[in-house]
Amino acid sequence: MKQRFSSLDVKVIAHELSNALVTLRVSNIYDLSSKIFLIKFARPENKQQIVIDSGFRCHLTQFSRATAAAPSVFVARLRKCLKTRRVTSVSQVGTDRIIEFQFSDGQYRLFLEFYAAGNIILTDKDLKILALLRIVTEEKGEEEQRVGLIYSLENRQNYEGIPPLTKERLQNALQKAVDRGDDGLVAGKKPKKKAADALRKALAVSITEFPPMLVDHSMQVTNFDSSLKPADVLQNDALLDHLMRSLQEAQRVIQEITSSEVAKGYIIAKKRDGYDEASKTGDSRNFLVYDDFHPFKPRQFESDPISVFLEFNGFNKTVDEFFSSIEGQKLESRLQERELTAKRKIEAARQDQAKRLGGLQEVQTMNERKAAALEANVERVQEAMDAVNGLIAQAMDWVEIGKLVEMEQRRNNPVASIIKLPLKLEENTITLLLDEEEFGDDDDSAYETDSDVEDSEDEGSKKESKQKTADKRLTIDINLGISPWANAGEYYGQKRSAADKEHKTLQSSTKALKSQEAKIAHDLRKGLKQEKAVLRPVRKQMWFEKFSWFISSDGYLALAGKDAQQNEMLYKKYLKRGDVYVHADIHGAASVVIKNKPRTPDAPIPPSTLSQAGSLAVTCSSAWDSKAGMSAWWVNADQVSKSAPTGEFLPTGTFVVRGKKNFLPPAVLLLGFGVVFQISEESKGRHVKHRIQDDDSAIGASVGQSTTQSVAGEEREAPELDEDQRSMPDDNDESDAEEEEEAPANPLQTEPQVGSVNLDREEVLLTEQIAQLQVEGAPVPQPEPEAQENESERESEDETPRSSGIQTPSQHDAPKKGPAPAKRGKKGKAKKIATKYKDQDEEDRLAAQQLIGAAAGLEKARAEAEAKAAREAELAFQKERRRAQHQRTQKETAEHEEIRRLMLEEGQDILDEEEEEKMTSFEALVGMPLKGDEILEAIPVCAPWAAMAKFKYKAKLQPGAQKKGKAVKEILGRWVADTGAKGKVDETSTDSERMWPREVELLRGWKAEEVTNTVPVSKVRVMMAGGLAGTTAGKAAQNKGKGGSGKGSKKQR
């Protein structure tokens, strides 16, 4: 199985990466393992990620992989140098297996080596090594590589360029092979390889731009005998010309591969058992084992009956599929190993339970046998007890008693023969050896007390029989203080206790075994979930997901900018005729654009959609943190413009709104985090959106405007504030609010307005006329000074531009600077100095200053003056550059505004089919899938709570103190935890109120870090079904394991 790149693979991959990654910026770098890394690149509407396996592979990937919790030292160094850097070049170093990435026009260079043990080396523009994955020493026979050294490129293959393919070069390559003895003709040595490999290796060593597999392919195409030896080809001109044509064919293949932006790739797979049967059902991929991959279709495998070619459009996709399949096979083996381990644990638990129960049963049987033996030998037991008790009553020493018993045993005393030494007199017990009841009759002769002496043979046989009987006797402890029958009763009691213990042990162990099996199964499922999350396809984001977005309850798409740049993009690219612009006069409020239906742009927007868009605009502002509901307003698209009044400049993301603002009711500060599902085109017919139809609602714009205004709420013009009121500080506003109860000042509205300006033409003219009216001799009233803000803060907050007729405080209050009057005594002192040095010329003055050390101060002052002049010149240049840039931007804005005005007036804002399809792609998104729907993707969304009435998965968000990242993790954790609850998942995917397997699979594929940015606010409080909220609720859920279904749409049962 192929595991690493060839030189041709590196060339093709570098060519495709150059077309795919140049102009993209590095967004982040991650560890996948100690030698595998993931680099993400991004720019607007284009995101890519590559996997780098040091020494083996590097390719774009469409799969998301689990990354390390914390970056390694090497990755941290790469992040510090390369993060946010733009890729300017991707190329192969000569014909060697090295890929070079250049960032910021060569400011940083990253080299990926795919030979030997491999390496990843980061250098600066002078090739000085800044970081590397593996330190290389000279002891290994390689070039030394460590931080601080220079990375050498001169000794790489064909770094100066590929030599032309000529007949002389071919002859030299073959001659070198013959001189080395590569054809296997060296005397006294056996050839180490087949004859067919000799010619191929000879070409691979000298003509390095052609890999051996490509040479074999070209020989097959040109019908050249690859089994010939280099010496034979060198001696025959016809064969040499034929081989030359084969190499030219290989050169043609390489040129064909690299001529297009994306090259085709081929995977060579081997058939497994059952492939033919599976091919009939269309499931043949599961019966293939990937073996090799190439950017061309090798001719030598076409005649192989067990090989199958799989073609892919793009070599990166080919390599990604190949290695992802290998990772999948490793994953499958890990899953099987986990299952086997779980089975072994369960079997061990069962064996342990059976062992404990078997021990208790043995104890019962033994106690019962001992009691029966006592009952069968009561007389002998009584004799032994009486004998020992008699000796104790005589006050005989315990040691002497033992010696006496031992002596009597040697004399074959029948009473002493049943006593087992040592005695346990300290415990008031002795140990007896007794036969069981079934052997009692046969052994009576062994205990007879007659003194008849038999012949020696009978005595020998009796001794043997006694020895055999002793081996079968039971060892029983006898309490000397009670009778033999009482001793038997104690053993029966122990038997009953063991039986009770067995019963209890059986019950408890059965429960423990079930619990342990459940725990092992849970651990197995948890492990399988973790393993499945290692590799999954990356979902391609839709065009509107870069904004804050939602689909209203009426089926309209609403887009909100996350910053000033996105506000500008929304205005220039997506605010078309018939759309509605929604904003609020609060600091930080979002600019929201409601997209109207492209086919009927004059149709009115429903009031509920306007209200929901206003809620989004308000919740994104400072009103969320202050928990104060405010009113938003909406205007038509033709009322929004970027053309500022004369002499003023509109920062990025700031617009001018002309005409009346249609104010909405105060917004409710409630958001919802939920899931929308992307369904297939065939499934869209089952969903009827509550949206105004094409034909029934195609009415005029004027009628639509009046209808919407009448339903949306009370019309009122924007409150007009003069310049004095706008510039007054917050304290004055609060004092005015206390004095005048009729018009209280809202603290949220004292901040500068963001995103829009309301400038009526009549108001501007009136202001200019008032500014020109001055009474002779009367002082001009000056406005109070405003709080100063720096330029960056003003641009970030998008301040409201003022009218050109109002003079600013800086134009009136600037004090006049002049020379300060001389202090007392200074004039006389200067006169004395002038009289003292009146005869000193310039040369004498310089000499005197040099003697006293004043020349150094003059030189320092001169250097400071020169540096100051240079700084002033640089500032002047930067100021001029910014002025030119502003003028260019104003010119471009004016041209754009003129074109936009003409299109809006003439009604030429018509979309082509491709753009219209793009604008209506969101119609495939549903909140509640129906039976039979084909679910393609699950997309996170954060929207006003009123817009999520028909969502299956949702959680309510209120203003709170919990960070949004932690809140999203809590929500996802609750949803995933519900998948393991009994009855929560509908395996048939028919009940819309229960979780479906496809939904569960997609939700488990989410990463909390990737979903968090969907929430447009920073601090929230989570409200979910079951009464849990926030951090306390999350901890309570973990501790108790109860409460709610975890999905907001679930009803309380």
Side-chain angles (χ1 to χ4, degrees):
M1 181 180 292
K2 187 174 182 179
Q3 293 185 349
R4 65 172 71 233
F5 279 172
S6 65
S7 59
L8 179 60
D9 297 337
V10 171
K11 184 179 184 66
V12 178
I13 282 288
H15 176 69
E16 289 194 0
L17 290 180
S18 176
N19 295 324
L21 299 182
V22 171
T23 71
L24 271 67
R25 294 185 182 273
V26 178
S27 60
N28 215 336
I29 306 173
Y30 302 93
D31 290 283
L32 298 182
S33 68
S34 59
K35 288 188 176 182
I36 304 178
F37 305 94
L38 180 71
I39 304 181
K40 291 186 177 181
F41 301 87
R43 72 178 181 189
E45 301 182 2
N46 188 7
K47 293 184 178 180
Q48 301 287 350
Q49 56 182 3
I50 64 172
V51 174
I52 301 174
D53 191 351
S54 179
F56 293 94
R57 58 186 171 117
C58 168
H59 57 86
L60 297 174
T61 181
Q62 299 297 326
F63 295 91
S64 178
R65 293 166 170 83
T67 58
S72 62
V73 177
F74 176 67
V75 169
R77 180 64 174 166
L78 291 181
R79 287 183 179 181
K80 182 177 181 180
C81 297
L82 300 182
K83 202 169 181 181
T84 70
R85 294 282 179 177
R86 188 186 300 275
V87 181
T88 55
S89 173
V90 182
S91 61
Q92 182 186 19
V93 178
T95 58
D96 211 339
R97 286 176 290 174
I98 302 176
I99 295 180
E100 177 188 3
F101 287 80
Q102 290 191 9
F103 301 90
S104 302
D105 296 324
Q107 195 73 21
Y108 291 96
R109 306 169 77 173
L110 186 68
F111 295 94
L112 311 179
E113 297 181 351
F114 300 103
Y115 57 85
N119 211 346
I120 302 175
I121 302 171
L122 176 67
T123 70
D124 59 7
K125 60 182 179 180
D126 299 325
L127 295 179
K128 182 180 178 181
I129 298 178
L130 303 177
L132 75 170
L133 177 63
R134 181 177 63 92
I135 297 177
V136 181
T137 60
E138 294 180 351
E139 298 176 357
K140 299 180 181 180
E142 301 178 5
E143 179 186 357
E144 184 180 6
Q145 293 177 353
R146 56 181 173 82
V147 175
L149 297 182
I150 301 298
Y151 184 73
S152 176
L153 293 176
E154 286 74 13
N155 56 353
R156 306 303 175 188
Q157 289 182 2
N158 300 326
Y159 177 68
E160 301 296 337
I162 303 175
L165 182 61
T166 61
K167 191 173 182 179
E168 290 76 15
R169 185 184 176 197
L170 179 58
Q171 289 176 341
N172 293 334
L174 296 177
Q175 187 62 46
K176 290 180 181 178
V178 173
D179 295 341
R180 289 194 305 266
D182 287 351
D183 55 354
L185 298 178
V186 179
K189 292 185 179 180
K190 295 182 180 180
K192 295 182 180 180
K193 56 187 179 299
K194 299 178 181 179
D197 293 338
L199 181 59
R200 187 177 68 172
K201 184 174 181 181
L203 296 174
V205 171
S206 300
I207 306 178
T208 56
E209 61 267 26
F210 301 139
M213 188 63 68
L214 179 59
V215 172
D216 279 349
H217 167 75
S218 61
M219 288 181 179
Q220 292 282 341
V221 172
T222 57
N223 297 323
F224 184 85
D225 187 5
S226 60
S227 62
L228 294 174
K229 298 178 181 180
D232 298 338
V233 178
L234 192 59
Q235 294 172 2
N236 193 329
D237 291 340
L239 293 177
L240 193 63
D241 294 338
H242 196 174
L243 181 57
M244 187 69 184
R245 290 196 299 272
S246 299
L247 296 181
Q248 289 174 353
E249 170 65 18
Q251 191 175 32
R252 185 196 64 79
V253 171
I254 293 178
Q255 291 176 355
E256 182 180 355
I257 292 173
T258 57
S259 60
S260 60
E261 291 187 1
V262 179
K264 289 185 177 180
Y266 299 88
I267 291 180
I268 303 171
K270 302 295 183 182
K271 298 178 183 177
R272 292 195 304 181
D273 296 338
Y275 173 79
D276 296 332
E277 292 77 6
S279 59
K280 299 177 182 178
T281 60
D283 194 21
S284 58
R285 280 288 182 95
N286 297 329
F287 294 88
L288 292 176
V289 177
Y290 292 168
D291 184 65
D292 204 349
F293 61 90
H294 296 283
F296 60 94
K297 192 174 183 179
R299 179 69 64 87
Q300 55 267 37
F301 292 103
E302 291 182 354
S303 59
D304 190 358
I306 64 172
S307 297
V308 178
F309 286 96
L310 302 177
E311 182 178 338
F312 296 88
N313 185 22
F315 193 56
N316 272 288
K317 292 183 180 179
T318 307
V319 179
D320 190 24
E321 174 66 22
F322 183 85
F323 286 104
S324 298
S325 174
I326 295 177
E327 292 182 31
Q329 294 173 4
K330 293 180 181 179
L331 171 62
E332 185 177 356
S333 65
R334 289 200 297 267
L335 298 182
Q336 293 177 354
E337 182 63 27
R338 283 181 179 271
E339 292 177 356
L340 292 176
T341 304
K343 290 179 180 178
R344 286 196 295 266
K345 289 181 179 179
I346 294 175
E347 187 63 26
R350 289 175 178 171
Q351 292 178 358
D352 183 59
Q353 180 192 18
K355 186 177 180 180
R356 289 200 303 268
L357 294 176
L360 291 173
Q361 291 174 357
E362 290 179 1
V363 170
Q364 295 178 52
T365 304
M366 183 58 65
N367 288 331
E368 188 176 5
R369 289 173 60 189
K370 288 180 179 181
L374 286 173
E375 292 176 347
N377 301 280
V378 173
E379 296 177 359
R380 298 186 181 91
V381 173
Q382 189 65 47
E383 289 177 2
M385 293 175 61
D386 292 343
V388 174
N389 286 328
L391 294 175
I392 294 174
Q394 296 175 10
M396 183 179 288
D397 187 75
W398 289 354
V399 178
E400 296 298 329
I401 294 175
K403 291 180 180 180
L404 179 60
V405 171
E406 185 178 2
M407 182 176 61
E408 291 297 324
Q409 287 178 349
R410 287 197 297 267
R411 294 177 180 178
N412 296 326
N413 188 324
V415 176
S417 62
I418 66 173
I419 300 175
K420 183 179 179 181
L421 296 176
L423 300 175
K424 303 177 183 178
L425 298 179
E426 66 276 3
E427 298 176 6
N428 197 28
T429 61
I430 59 174
T431 304
L432 301 181
L433 298 174
L434 300 177
D435 289 319
E436 296 187 63
E437 183 178 2
E438 55 184 346
F439 302 106
D441 297 336
D442 299 335
D443 297 336
D444 289 342
S445 60
Y447 303 100
E448 292 178 356
T449 59
D450 57 348
S451 59
D452 297 340
V453 181
E454 300 179 354
D455 53 1
S456 60
E457 295 179 0
D458 295 339
E459 290 178 359
S461 61
K462 287 181 179 180
K463 292 179 181 178
E464 292 177 0
S465 62
K466 289 179 182 179
Q467 188 66 29
K468 293 179 181 178
T469 305
D471 294 337
K472 297 181 180 180
R473 291 182 294 180
L474 296 178
T475 301
I476 305 174
D477 290 338
I478 302 297
N479 188 352
L480 296 176
I482 58 178
S483 65
W485 294 101
N487 277 285
E490 284 189 355
Y491 279 107
Y492 278 123
Q494 292 178 12
K495 185 254 182 183
R496 288 191 297 271
S497 299
D500 294 340
K501 188 174 181 181
E502 179 191 3
H503 179 68
K504 295 179 180 179
T505 302
L506 180 62
Q507 291 181 343
S508 61
S509 61
T510 302
K511 293 181 180 179
L513 182 61
K514 289 183 179 179
S515 176
Q516 191 170 6
E517 288 179 354
K519 182 179 182 301
I520 293 172
H522 175 72
D523 293 341
L524 177 61
R525 288 195 301 269
K526 185 177 180 181
L528 295 181
K529 293 176 187 176
Q530 293 176 353
E531 295 291 354
K532 289 180 181 178
V534 171
L535 196 65
R536 66 178 188 276
V538 177
R539 180 181 64 85
K540 186 177 181 181
Q541 290 191 343
M542 307 185 79
W543 65 271
F544 49 80
E545 288 189 69
K546 57 179 173 288
F547 306 105
S548 295
W549 65 279
F550 73 94
I551 300 175
S552 70
S553 57
D554 302 297
Y556 287 81
L557 178 63
L559 307 174
K562 296 180 179 179
D563 50 32
Q565 285 74 20
Q566 286 198 351
N567 291 341
E568 197 79 14
M569 186 187 303
L570 279 176
Y571 170 77
K572 290 185 177 180
K573 295 183 64 176
Y574 300 107
L575 186 60
K576 306 295 183 180
R577 183 169 67 93
D579 296 343
V580 169
Y581 177 83
V582 183
H583 194 57
D585 297 330
I586 314 171
H587 172 61
S591 295
V592 184
V593 173
I594 304 176
K595 298 296 298 179
N596 207 336
K597 203 165 187 178
R599 298 178 182 176
T600 56
D602 296 332
I605 303 295
S608 57
T609 299
L610 293 172
S611 176
Q612 293 162 13
S615 298
L616 180 62
V618 173
T619 52
C620 293
S621 68
S622 58
W624 179 268
D625 294 329
S626 62
K627 302 179 182 180
M630 304 296 293
S631 296
W633 47 264
W634 65 270
V635 294
N636 294 321
D638 54 0
Q639 294 181 250
V640 185
S641 173
K642 281 289 291 184
S643 56
T646 305
E648 293 189 6
F649 173 74
L650 291 179
T652 302
T654 307
F655 316 108
V656 173
V657 176
R658 294 181 173 86
K660 295 181 180 179
K661 298 179 182 177
N662 306 293
F663 279 82
L664 299 168
V668 180
L669 299 178
L670 274 182
L671 289 176
F673 178 81
V675 185
V676 292
F677 297 97
Q678 183 181 2
I679 58 177
S680 61
E681 292 294 328
E682 294 77 11
S683 304
K684 288 172 61 176
R686 300 185 182 92
H687 297 264
V688 179
K689 290 189 176 291
H690 297 281
R691 183 184 173 94
I692 300 176
Q693 302 298 324
D694 296 350
D695 302 330
D696 299 340
S697 61
I699 57 178
S702 58
V703 178
Q705 180 179 354
S706 60
T707 305
T708 308
Q709 293 176 1
S710 61
V711 181
E714 179 181 359
E715 282 190 15
R716 58 183 185 274
E717 295 184 1
E720 303 293 335
L721 299 177
D722 57 16
E723 195 66 23
D724 294 340
Q725 292 175 339
R726 289 183 179 180
S727 61
M728 290 177 68
D730 296 344
D731 297 337
N732 295 341
D733 290 343
E734 295 177 358
S735 62
D736 292 342
E738 296 175 357
E739 295 174 1
E740 302 178 7
E741 298 180 357
E742 297 179 359
N746 193 312
L748 295 175
Q749 293 180 330
T750 59
E751 300 286 346
Q753 297 182 2
V754 179
S756 65
V757 185
N758 183 30
L759 293 177
D760 292 336
R761 298 184 181 275
E762 297 179 358
E763 178 191 359
V764 174
L765 295 176
L766 183 61
T767 306
E768 293 178 353
Q769 292 175 3
I770 294 175
Q772 294 175 358
L773 294 177
Q774 295 183 1
V775 182
E776 295 183 0
V780 179
Q782 303 295 334
E784 296 184 11
E786 298 178 346
Q788 297 182 356
E789 296 181 355
N790 55 38
E791 182 179 355
S792 61
E793 184 178 359
R794 183 171 64 252
E795 290 180 357
S796 62
E797 295 183 357
D798 299 335
E799 281 194 0
T800 303
R802 267 67 172 179
S803 301
S804 58
I806 302 297
Q807 294 179 337
T808 59
S810 60
Q811 296 174 333
H812 295 272
D813 298 341
K816 296 183 178 180
K817 295 184 179 180
K823 294 184 179 180
R824 182 179 180 182
K826 287 278 186 181
K827 187 175 181 181
K829 187 175 182 180
K831 190 173 182 181
K832 291 180 180 179
I833 291 174
T835 304
K836 181 177 180 181
Y837 297 107
K838 65 179 181 179
D839 297 330
Q840 189 182 46
D841 57 3
E842 185 66 19
E843 184 177 355
D844 295 339
R845 187 177 62 83
L846 292 176
Q849 289 179 349
Q850 189 172 5
L851 287 175
I852 64 176
L858 292 177
E859 292 178 358
K860 183 178 179 181
R862 189 180 302 108
E864 292 179 353
E866 293 176 355
K868 183 179 179 180
R871 287 196 301 269
E872 291 178 351
E874 178 67 19
L875 292 175
F877 171 75
Q878 294 294 339
K879 184 177 180 180
E880 183 65 23
R881 184 185 63 80
R882 287 195 298 269
R883 189 180 66 82
Q885 184 178 1
H886 288 172
Q887 290 178 353
R888 184 170 61 253
T889 303
Q890 288 179 345
K891 183 179 179 181
E892 293 175 354
T893 303
E895 294 176 355
H896 176 270
E897 287 298 315
E898 184 64 22
I899 295 174
R900 181 173 180 273
R901 185 182 62 80
L902 293 175
M903 293 180 66
L904 290 177
E905 290 179 356
E906 299 176 7
Q908 297 178 357
D909 192 7
I910 301 175
L911 305 178
D912 54 14
E913 294 182 0
E914 182 179 356
E915 191 171 357
E916 183 176 346
E917 182 180 358
K918 176 182 176 182
M919 293 299 175
T920 57
S921 60
F922 70 93
E923 294 182 355
L925 305 180
V926 297
M928 174 98 55
L930 301 179
K931 178 181 177 181
D933 285 349
E934 180 184 0
I935 302 176
L936 303 179
E937 298 290 348
I939 303 174
V941 62
C942 188
W945 183 251
M948 308 185 74
K950 296 184 178 180
F951 276 55
K952 185 174 184 178
Y953 297 84
K954 59 183 177 180
K956 186 185 294 185
L957 303 179
Q958 292 180 344
Q962 187 180 17
K963 292 184 178 180
K964 62 179 181 181
K966 192 173 182 181
V968 169
K969 286 183 179 179
E970 176 188 341
I971 296 171
L972 296 182
R974 289 284 300 279
W975 288 343
V976 174
D978 278 349
T979 60
K982 185 177 180 181
K984 293 290 185 181
V985 180
D986 180 16
E987 299 294 340
T988 61
S989 301
T990 56
D991 187 0
S992 298
E993 290 294 327
R994 296 164 63 192
M995 307 176 80
W996 292 356
R998 176 59 177 166
E999 299 171 356
V1000 172
E1001 179 185 355
L1002 294 174
L1003 288 178
R1004 286 176 176 171
W1006 280 8
K1007 284 185 178 180
E1009 297 79 8
E1010 299 174 355
V1011 178
T1012 301
N1013 289 333
T1014 308
V1015 182
V1017 294
S1018 59
K1019 300 292 184 66
V1020 297
R1021 181 178 179 227
V1022 181
M1023 302 293 292
M1024 300 181 71
L1028 300 181
T1031 307
T1032 306
K1035 293 181 179 178
Q1038 294 176 2
N1039 295 334
K1040 297 181 181 180
K1042 299 179 181 179
S1045 63
K1047 295 184 292 182
S1049 62
K1050 299 287 187 180
K1051 297 180 180 179
Q1052 298 291 341
R1053 302 182 186 276

